[in-house]
Amino acid sequence: CFKYAFNDKDSAFHYVNRSIDICKKKGYDSLRTEALNIKGIIYDIQGETDSSEYYFLKTYNLSVEIGFKTYESFSINNLGMMYWRRADFNEALEFFFKALKFNEENEIVESVGSNYNNIGLIYQEMKLYVKAIDYHKKALNQRLNVHLELDEVADSYNNLAICFKGFEQK
């Protein structure tokens, strides 16, 4: 499903709907949770935020019901991303902080760096560079400590550079 999400929405919806139906019939709740999340992402890519919000909330509720912590985390973060795209920065921050707290409490350490990064990016958009730098540094340290991909570490350095450049332009 996700393979088509960015370039062939009809195929993406076909496969995601088929996946949801099969998972529901077979009782594969964890896979259905993943498919619902992908459906939310497809709607979000299309700019249909009401539908994306519906599926992210559906993903969240099902993941809580079945105890699927990874997708509970993803759905909280995706709601933050959706509000960010709506330029509702305060609501986005609320969800990113909620995702951060959830991931720290549940020791989902590989997601904490992304949470810090997303918070930093929102502050960056708001031109609150001191706060942005603080969170980008936390993201960088987390990514270095967890030994994530080099591109994520490079993203953190890039985000810091953008913030420092923002100070120059003031």
Side-chain angles (χ1 to χ4, degrees):
C1 316
F2 197 73
K3 173 183 174 184
Y4 296 105
F6 293 94
N7 56 19
D8 185 350
K9 120 178 144 170
D10 293 335
S11 292
F13 279 119
H14 167 77
Y15 287 113
V16 79
N17 289 330
R18 192 167 167 214
S19 296
I20 291 168
D21 289 342
I22 291 169
C23 290
K24 195 169 188 175
K25 286 177 189 168
K26 300 271 186 183
Y28 299 147
D29 287 337
S30 60
L31 292 173
R32 184 165 56 111
T33 304
E34 184 174 354
L36 289 167
N37 186 64
I38 292 170
K39 191 167 186 176
I41 292 169
I42 295 166
Y43 276 120
D44 197 30
I45 291 166
Q46 300 303 314
E48 298 179 39
T49 54
D50 288 345
S51 295
S52 65
E53 182 176 33
Y54 172 82
Y55 283 98
F56 291 149
L57 288 171
K58 210 169 166 143
T59 301
Y60 175 77
N61 290 329
L62 182 58
S63 64
V64 169
E65 181 183 321
I66 65 172
F68 195 6
K69 300 287 186 196
T70 302
Y71 274 87
E72 189 173 343
S73 169
F74 287 169
S75 57
I76 296 167
N77 187 70
N78 285 341
L79 285 160
M81 297 295 284
M82 182 200 65
Y83 283 111
W84 181 7
R85 283 184 200 65
R86 286 183 182 175
D88 188 343
F89 300 136
N90 290 324
E91 195 72 23
L93 278 172
E94 187 176 318
F95 277 97
F96 290 147
F97 277 115
K98 185 176 180 178
L100 174 62
K101 182 179 179 192
F102 180 86
N103 288 326
E104 287 177 335
E105 287 174 353
N106 290 282
E107 299 179 4
I108 306 174
V109 294
E110 61 277 1
S111 295
V112 171
S114 292
N115 299 140
Y116 284 137
N117 184 66
N118 290 342
I119 293 166
L121 288 169
I122 294 297
Y123 285 134
Q124 189 175 314
E125 291 245 7
M126 298 170 78
K127 299 190 184 333
L128 299 172
Y129 295 115
V130 172
K131 286 184 175 185
I133 288 168
D134 182 45
Y135 282 94
H136 287 315
K137 284 181 178 178
K138 289 177 181 182
L140 175 62
N141 288 332
Q142 180 69 18
R143 289 170 168 175
L144 289 170
N145 289 334
V146 178
H147 307 291
L148 292 176
E149 299 296 320
L150 284 177
D151 59 339
E152 292 185 14
V153 172
D155 288 343
S156 289
Y157 281 119
N158 186 57
N159 291 334
L160 285 164
I162 290 168
C163 288
F164 289 123
K165 183 77 172 163
F167 277 129
E168 289 178 13
Q169 294 175 352
K170 278 190 165 186

